[in-house]
Amino acid sequence: MSAAGELGESRFLRRLSAGSYFGEIGLLEHIQRTATVRAASACTLLAIPGESFFAALTEAPASSVLLEGARARLTLTHPSYAAGPDTPPASAGRRD
């Protein structure tokens, strides 16, 4: 996974392992994608349509692990989105 972030310079973020997920930041925050994911080897990916993702969040509250993971990755790619002490949690399920 790599990101250009706010500075426009691409940098490696981390290697994802089996069972990892990505793409939730754009859905949760209603922003463009924040990173590029490239497969280093053959893999199987499952895509969840945005509406199905939000439906799942409305059936049960988003887990704190999901929200904190999204917040941590967003902080790496876009520091201006970094959560400060007065920043509310990511807006799970928000539809503007």
Side-chain angles (χ1 to χ4, degrees):
M1 176 182 282
S2 63
E6 295 171 333
L7 303 177
E9 295 179 15
S10 184
R11 63 189 173 101
F12 176 80
L13 296 176
R14 67 185 181 118
R15 182 174 297 272
L16 299 173
S17 59
S20 295
Y21 59 88
F22 57 91
E24 79 287 1
I25 294 172
L27 291 171
L28 291 170
E29 296 296 333
H30 297 277
I31 59 175
Q32 293 289 327
R33 64 183 177 84
T34 61
T36 299
V37 178
R38 289 190 176 90
S41 61
C43 60
T44 300
L45 300 176
L46 303 174
I48 301 172
E51 291 197 12
S52 296
F53 179 77
F54 283 118
L57 289 180
T58 59
E59 291 175 11
S63 75
S64 60
V65 172
L66 171 79
L67 296 176
E68 289 304 318
R71 184 175 290 120
R73 286 193 298 278
L74 186 58
T75 299
L76 284 174
T77 59
H78 289 71
S80 67
Y81 283 87
D86 298 335
T87 304
S91 53
R94 181 184 73 199
R95 293 182 182 175
D96 294 335

